[in-house]
Amino acid sequence: MVKSIHRVTTRVMRIDQIDARVRLLHLQDPDGWDLPPFTAGAHIDIHLPSGLIRQYSLSGDPARGDTYTIAVQRQDDGRGGSRELHDNVIAGDELLVSLPRNTFPIGKDAPVTMVAGGIGITPFLSALPSLMASGQTFTLHYCARTVERASFMPMLKEMGLGDRVQFHFSETGPRLDLERVISDLTEDGHLYCCGPTRMLDAVELKSDDLGARLHVEHFGVAAGADPAYEVLLARSGQVVPVAPEQTMLQALRAADVDMPASCEGGVCLECRCRWLDGTPIHRELTMTLSDRDEWITPCVSGSAGPRLTLDL
Amino acid sequence: MKFTGKVEGLHVTPRSFLPMRNMGSLELVEGLGIEGDRHSMNEAFHSDRPEEGRQITFFEAETLEALKRDHDIILRPEQHRRNVTTRGVPLNHLVGRRFRVGSCVVEATRLSTPCRHIEQITGLEIYEVLLHRAGLNAKIVKGGQIHLGDFIEPE
């Protein structure tokens, strides 16, 4: 199990049941200390009591330094994380979480257009306070199948967004006209989309010309620079999966492999271990080229292939 | 070695990763650490590998100024994650030596190594520019209270 000192310890201070399917969990430090800061669009890993690890966007105002707010939609046929957060987690429980990471930073010095599909609204909720305060030009399109499934519509209406928020219900009205949204973008406007895969695929298909002005975030899964791979521990035979955006060291720790490590930046080499097979990607800053033939530091290094074998 | 420096900032946090809070004074406990700080309560990221010399840590204000001057990086004193911001103290020269902080005495054990977490916490790319100037680790030889403005001198 992950050690609490290697994560941020939070307590569930309050749970707001938005409707039958969606609840907001407000997490704070047990002693009211400020939490590590985050920026609009960031997400955290939640370590559930069962051992599951799930990613949730932070939906609160980043200016409020003492609270992480996550919105959890119960997925009855999902992988179990949302059910656990709905059925087993109550106010007062402690939850370990990761430092916030942001692969979907929202807000530039340019007009912002946001398209949210269903629970894909969550990263945008963290951006609205600063967008409103800054006077920046923005539009939010909130899409859902029905009014009833637009869980955050009442909250958005209370925020005084006026015509800067538009609601689209596919069962009772026309779907969002994506081509229109894209053609309405100004030359310097950025488009941000979060929602189901089908919606994101459609956006990406129609947004070829936007280039770096298009930003998409998939539900619950953070886009990582490295693809997933697995590590075979030669001595024990254990196979440890390394997820995208996870370091090899984090994966080993999560699998209860005792790995001493200090700087976690490829300098001190305290976590170095022998590698036996595969194609390592070396990112050490201080290891000699000849040592790289034998050693690897799991804190920063990766694997170019699907499996790397370590002498552990 | 002769020098006379000052305490320019005091900072603690009760657990790993949490932002550090600026303080007017700190209570140093001999052989243990700083009251209310993560290292004295086994709540630091490295607490599973205890180290006597990590009872109190120091960082030079001059390094913060160099980061701004040379790299246009603004790192605030409470962001470097050490306990004491010093001015006029050659920290890198003090490994193995004892020095006074106000009425307290500490013994420097090793240079601090930057930690990649500081980039995650601050959002600044500063890991590599902090190499060799990430501060000093020390153990507390004589405890007591230290304050902003206290003198720092060789014992």
mmCIF file of all heavy atoms in Angstrom, chain B residues 7 10 23-30 33-35 56 84 100-105 140 142-151:
data_model
loop_
_atom_site.group_PDB
_atom_site.id
_atom_site.type_symbol
_atom_site.label_atom_id
_atom_site.label_comp_id
_atom_site.label_asym_id
_atom_site.label_seq_id
_atom_site.Cartn_x
_atom_site.Cartn_y
_atom_site.Cartn_z
ATOM 1 N N VAL B 7 18.812 35.586 10.187
ATOM 2 C CA VAL B 7 17.613 34.816 9.841
ATOM 3 C C VAL B 7 16.643 35.755 9.129
ATOM 4 O O VAL B 7 16.191 36.744 9.698
ATOM 5 C CB VAL B 7 16.939 34.243 11.109
ATOM 6 C CG1 VAL B 7 15.605 33.599 10.750
ATOM 7 C CG2 VAL B 7 17.865 33.250 11.799
ATOM 8 N N LEU B 10 11.419 32.148 8.379
ATOM 9 C CA LEU B 10 11.242 30.897 9.121
ATOM 10 C C LEU B 10 9.990 30.217 8.585
ATOM 11 O O LEU B 10 8.945 30.870 8.409
ATOM 12 C CB LEU B 10 11.097 31.183 10.627
ATOM 13 C CG LEU B 10 12.331 31.796 11.302
ATOM 14 C CD1 LEU B 10 11.982 32.280 12.709
ATOM 15 C CD2 LEU B 10 13.479 30.788 11.356
ATOM 16 N N MET B 23 6.700 31.957 9.614
ATOM 17 C CA MET B 23 6.556 32.091 11.061
ATOM 18 C C MET B 23 7.453 33.226 11.566
ATOM 19 O O MET B 23 8.437 33.593 10.922
ATOM 20 C CB MET B 23 6.956 30.775 11.758
ATOM 21 C CG MET B 23 6.308 29.520 11.194
ATOM 22 S SD MET B 23 4.535 29.427 11.463
ATOM 23 C CE MET B 23 4.500 28.931 13.187
ATOM 24 N N GLY B 24 7.117 33.747 12.728
ATOM 25 C CA GLY B 24 7.962 34.760 13.353
ATOM 26 C C GLY B 24 9.042 34.149 14.219
ATOM 27 O O GLY B 24 10.097 34.749 14.453
ATOM 28 N N SER B 25 8.774 32.943 14.702
ATOM 29 C CA SER B 25 9.763 32.248 15.522
ATOM 30 C C SER B 25 9.547 30.747 15.392
ATOM 31 O O SER B 25 8.472 30.295 14.968
ATOM 32 C CB SER B 25 9.637 32.663 16.997
ATOM 33 O OG SER B 25 8.367 32.271 17.501
ATOM 34 N N LEU B 26 10.576 29.980 15.742
ATOM 35 C CA LEU B 26 10.480 28.517 15.732
ATOM 36 C C LEU B 26 11.085 27.971 17.014
ATOM 37 O O LEU B 26 12.048 28.525 17.541
ATOM 38 C CB LEU B 26 11.244 27.923 14.534
ATOM 39 C CG LEU B 26 10.742 28.224 13.119
ATOM 40 C CD1 LEU B 26 11.666 27.547 12.099
ATOM 41 C CD2 LEU B 26 9.311 27.764 12.929
ATOM 42 N N GLU B 27 10.506 26.872 17.499
ATOM 43 C CA GLU B 27 11.031 26.210 18.685
ATOM 44 C C GLU B 27 11.865 25.015 18.239
ATOM 45 O O GLU B 27 11.342 24.060 17.640
ATOM 46 C CB GLU B 27 9.867 25.757 19.577
ATOM 47 C CG GLU B 27 10.289 25.230 20.933
ATOM 48 C CD GLU B 27 10.777 26.340 21.871
ATOM 49 O OE1 GLU B 27 10.249 27.466 21.783
ATOM 50 O OE2 GLU B 27 11.692 26.049 22.665
ATOM 51 N N LEU B 28 13.157 25.078 18.516
ATOM 52 C CA LEU B 28 14.069 23.992 18.127
ATOM 53 C C LEU B 28 14.258 23.028 19.302
ATOM 54 O O LEU B 28 14.560 23.464 20.426
ATOM 55 C CB LEU B 28 15.435 24.565 17.722
ATOM 56 C CG LEU B 28 15.602 25.028 16.269
ATOM 57 C CD1 LEU B 28 14.503 25.986 15.841
ATOM 58 C CD2 LEU B 28 16.979 25.668 16.080
ATOM 59 N N VAL B 29 14.072 21.757 19.021
ATOM 60 C CA VAL B 29 14.213 20.748 20.063
ATOM 61 C C VAL B 29 15.481 19.939 19.785
ATOM 62 O O VAL B 29 15.606 19.314 18.725
ATOM 63 C CB VAL B 29 12.981 19.812 20.108
ATOM 64 C CG1 VAL B 29 13.137 18.790 21.242
ATOM 65 C CG2 VAL B 29 11.704 20.622 20.278
ATOM 66 N N GLU B 30 16.382 19.975 20.727
ATOM 67 C CA GLU B 30 17.686 19.313 20.563
ATOM 68 C C GLU B 30 17.515 17.838 20.219
ATOM 69 O O GLU B 30 16.756 17.109 20.863
ATOM 70 C CB GLU B 30 18.473 19.454 21.874
ATOM 71 C CG GLU B 30 19.847 18.842 21.843
ATOM 72 C CD GLU B 30 20.529 19.008 23.199
ATOM 73 O OE1 GLU B 30 20.358 20.060 23.825
ATOM 74 O OE2 GLU B 30 21.215 18.055 23.635
ATOM 75 N N GLY B 33 14.135 18.085 16.280
ATOM 76 C CA GLY B 33 13.731 18.885 15.130
ATOM 77 C C GLY B 33 12.987 20.128 15.569
ATOM 78 O O GLY B 33 13.193 20.629 16.675
ATOM 79 N N ILE B 34 12.088 20.585 14.714
ATOM 80 C CA ILE B 34 11.363 21.831 14.960
ATOM 81 C C ILE B 34 9.924 21.494 15.336
ATOM 82 O O ILE B 34 9.264 20.706 14.655
ATOM 83 C CB ILE B 34 11.378 22.710 13.690
ATOM 84 C CG1 ILE B 34 12.822 23.046 13.312
ATOM 85 C CG2 ILE B 34 10.554 23.978 13.897
ATOM 86 C CD1 ILE B 34 12.951 23.628 11.927
ATOM 87 N N GLU B 35 9.453 22.094 16.404
ATOM 88 C CA GLU B 35 8.066 21.843 16.816
ATOM 89 C C GLU B 35 7.110 22.215 15.685
ATOM 90 O O GLU B 35 7.188 23.311 15.138
ATOM 91 C CB GLU B 35 7.725 22.661 18.069
ATOM 92 C CG GLU B 35 8.061 21.939 19.346
ATOM 93 C CD GLU B 35 7.494 22.644 20.570
ATOM 94 O OE1 GLU B 35 6.631 23.521 20.417
ATOM 95 O OE2 GLU B 35 7.941 22.304 21.681
ATOM 96 N N ILE B 56 16.755 20.208 10.910
ATOM 97 C CA ILE B 56 16.476 21.593 10.503
ATOM 98 C C ILE B 56 17.213 21.832 9.190
ATOM 99 O O ILE B 56 18.297 21.290 8.977
ATOM 100 C CB ILE B 56 16.899 22.605 11.592
ATOM 101 C CG1 ILE B 56 16.541 24.035 11.179
ATOM 102 C CG2 ILE B 56 18.388 22.477 11.922
ATOM 103 C CD1 ILE B 56 16.699 25.040 12.322
ATOM 104 N N VAL B 84 14.703 27.559 7.306
ATOM 105 C CA VAL B 84 15.264 28.874 7.628
ATOM 106 C C VAL B 84 15.815 29.510 6.359
ATOM 107 O O VAL B 84 16.614 28.892 5.651
ATOM 108 C CB VAL B 84 16.401 28.766 8.664
ATOM 109 C CG1 VAL B 84 16.922 30.160 9.032
ATOM 110 C CG2 VAL B 84 15.924 28.019 9.912
ATOM 111 N N ARG B 100 25.924 29.095 15.297
ATOM 112 C CA ARG B 100 24.842 29.576 16.167
ATOM 113 C C ARG B 100 23.734 30.207 15.331
ATOM 114 O O ARG B 100 24.002 30.916 14.366
ATOM 115 C CB ARG B 100 25.352 30.661 17.128
ATOM 116 C CG ARG B 100 26.307 30.165 18.171
ATOM 117 C CD ARG B 100 26.633 31.295 19.167
ATOM 118 N NE ARG B 100 27.568 30.799 20.155
ATOM 119 C CZ ARG B 100 27.198 30.039 21.190
ATOM 120 N NH1 ARG B 100 25.907 29.741 21.362
ATOM 121 N NH2 ARG B 100 28.093 29.592 22.043
ATOM 122 N N VAL B 101 22.530 29.950 15.739
ATOM 123 C CA VAL B 101 21.362 30.665 15.194
ATOM 124 C C VAL B 101 20.658 31.246 16.411
ATOM 125 O O VAL B 101 20.046 30.519 17.198
ATOM 126 C CB VAL B 101 20.411 29.721 14.437
ATOM 127 C CG1 VAL B 101 19.265 30.525 13.817
ATOM 128 C CG2 VAL B 101 21.154 28.916 13.395
ATOM 129 N N GLY B 102 20.772 32.560 16.619
ATOM 130 C CA GLY B 102 20.277 33.137 17.867
ATOM 131 C C GLY B 102 20.987 32.468 19.030
ATOM 132 O O GLY B 102 22.220 32.382 19.059
ATOM 133 N N SER B 103 20.201 31.937 19.955
ATOM 134 C CA SER B 103 20.806 31.284 21.121
ATOM 135 C C SER B 103 20.984 29.784 20.919
ATOM 136 O O SER B 103 21.435 29.085 21.820
ATOM 137 C CB SER B 103 19.909 31.529 22.346
ATOM 138 O OG SER B 103 18.633 30.944 22.123
ATOM 139 N N CYS B 104 20.607 29.293 19.756
ATOM 140 C CA CYS B 104 20.687 27.848 19.487
ATOM 141 C C CYS B 104 21.975 27.512 18.728
ATOM 142 O O CYS B 104 22.609 28.388 18.133
ATOM 143 C CB CYS B 104 19.482 27.392 18.662
ATOM 144 S SG CYS B 104 17.908 27.654 19.505
ATOM 145 N N VAL B 105 22.314 26.229 18.738
ATOM 146 C CA VAL B 105 23.493 25.766 17.994
ATOM 147 C C VAL B 105 23.089 24.571 17.136
ATOM 148 O O VAL B 105 22.389 23.667 17.607
ATOM 149 C CB VAL B 105 24.630 25.340 18.952
ATOM 150 C CG1 VAL B 105 25.836 24.819 18.158
ATOM 151 C CG2 VAL B 105 25.043 26.501 19.849
ATOM 152 N N ILE B 140 20.206 19.561 15.457
ATOM 153 C CA ILE B 140 20.133 20.604 16.484
ATOM 154 C C ILE B 140 20.947 20.145 17.707
ATOM 155 O O ILE B 140 20.629 19.130 18.334
ATOM 156 C CB ILE B 140 18.663 20.871 16.859
ATOM 157 C CG1 ILE B 140 17.907 21.367 15.623
ATOM 158 C CG2 ILE B 140 18.578 21.880 18.001
ATOM 159 C CD1 ILE B 140 16.397 21.339 15.762
ATOM 160 N N LYS B 142 21.938 22.441 20.284
ATOM 161 C CA LYS B 142 21.396 23.153 21.453
ATOM 162 C C LYS B 142 20.073 23.793 21.039
ATOM 163 O O LYS B 142 20.040 24.619 20.125
ATOM 164 C CB LYS B 142 22.375 24.223 21.927
ATOM 165 C CG LYS B 142 21.876 25.003 23.127
ATOM 166 C CD LYS B 142 22.943 25.970 23.639
ATOM 167 C CE LYS B 142 22.378 26.803 24.775
ATOM 168 N NZ LYS B 142 22.360 28.223 24.504
ATOM 169 N N GLY B 143 19.002 23.379 21.667
ATOM 170 C CA GLY B 143 17.674 23.843 21.285
ATOM 171 C C GLY B 143 17.310 25.189 21.879
ATOM 172 O O GLY B 143 18.119 25.844 22.550
ATOM 173 N N GLY B 144 16.087 25.591 21.615
ATOM 174 C CA GLY B 144 15.591 26.876 22.105
ATOM 175 C C GLY B 144 14.738 27.540 21.036
ATOM 176 O O GLY B 144 14.346 26.900 20.052
ATOM 177 N N GLN B 145 14.461 28.810 21.246
ATOM 178 C CA GLN B 145 13.619 29.523 20.282
ATOM 179 C C GLN B 145 14.486 30.405 19.378
ATOM 180 O O GLN B 145 15.388 31.091 19.872
ATOM 181 C CB GLN B 145 12.596 30.380 21.028
ATOM 182 C CG GLN B 145 11.391 30.747 20.174
ATOM 183 C CD GLN B 145 10.268 31.337 21.016
ATOM 184 O OE1 GLN B 145 10.454 32.328 21.693
ATOM 185 N NE2 GLN B 145 9.105 30.711 20.980
ATOM 186 N N ILE B 146 14.205 30.367 18.087
ATOM 187 C CA ILE B 146 14.893 31.288 17.172
ATOM 188 C C ILE B 146 13.856 32.212 16.556
ATOM 189 O O ILE B 146 12.665 31.868 16.460
ATOM 190 C CB ILE B 146 15.690 30.546 16.068
ATOM 191 C CG1 ILE B 146 14.763 29.675 15.208
ATOM 192 C CG2 ILE B 146 16.791 29.698 16.693
ATOM 193 C CD1 ILE B 146 15.482 29.056 14.007
ATOM 194 N N HIS B 147 14.312 33.414 16.177
ATOM 195 C CA HIS B 147 13.395 34.454 15.721
ATOM 196 C C HIS B 147 13.888 35.066 14.409
ATOM 197 O O HIS B 147 15.090 35.019 14.109
ATOM 198 C CB HIS B 147 13.297 35.568 16.766
ATOM 199 C CG HIS B 147 12.938 35.089 18.131
ATOM 200 N ND1 HIS B 147 11.643 35.040 18.587
ATOM 201 C CD2 HIS B 147 13.712 34.600 19.139
ATOM 202 C CE1 HIS B 147 11.633 34.558 19.824
ATOM 203 N NE2 HIS B 147 12.865 34.274 20.193
ATOM 204 N N LEU B 148 12.972 35.694 13.698
ATOM 205 C CA LEU B 148 13.366 36.497 12.539
ATOM 206 C C LEU B 148 14.365 37.543 13.004
ATOM 207 O O LEU B 148 14.183 38.153 14.064
ATOM 208 C CB LEU B 148 12.143 37.189 11.928
ATOM 209 C CG LEU B 148 11.115 36.306 11.217
ATOM 210 C CD1 LEU B 148 9.926 37.163 10.753
ATOM 211 C CD2 LEU B 148 11.738 35.604 10.030
ATOM 212 N N GLY B 149 15.405 37.767 12.228
ATOM 213 C CA GLY B 149 16.395 38.775 12.576
ATOM 214 C C GLY B 149 17.520 38.275 13.448
ATOM 215 O O GLY B 149 18.518 38.989 13.646
ATOM 216 N N ASP B 150 17.408 37.054 13.973
ATOM 217 C CA ASP B 150 18.497 36.509 14.793
ATOM 218 C C ASP B 150 19.804 36.463 13.984
ATOM 219 O O ASP B 150 19.790 36.216 12.773
ATOM 220 C CB ASP B 150 18.159 35.077 15.251
ATOM 221 C CG ASP B 150 17.279 35.065 16.494
ATOM 222 O OD1 ASP B 150 17.030 36.149 17.061
ATOM 223 O OD2 ASP B 150 16.830 33.970 16.889
ATOM 224 N N PHE B 151 20.914 36.635 14.711
ATOM 225 C CA PHE B 151 22.216 36.534 14.052
ATOM 226 C C PHE B 151 22.586 35.057 13.855
ATOM 227 O O PHE B 151 22.222 34.201 14.651
ATOM 228 C CB PHE B 151 23.300 37.226 14.882
ATOM 229 C CG PHE B 151 23.220 38.725 14.800
ATOM 230 C CD1 PHE B 151 22.763 39.463 15.888
ATOM 231 C CD2 PHE B 151 23.582 39.391 13.635
ATOM 232 C CE1 PHE B 151 22.672 40.851 15.808
ATOM 233 C CE2 PHE B 151 23.493 40.778 13.552
ATOM 234 C CZ PHE B 151 23.034 41.511 14.644
#
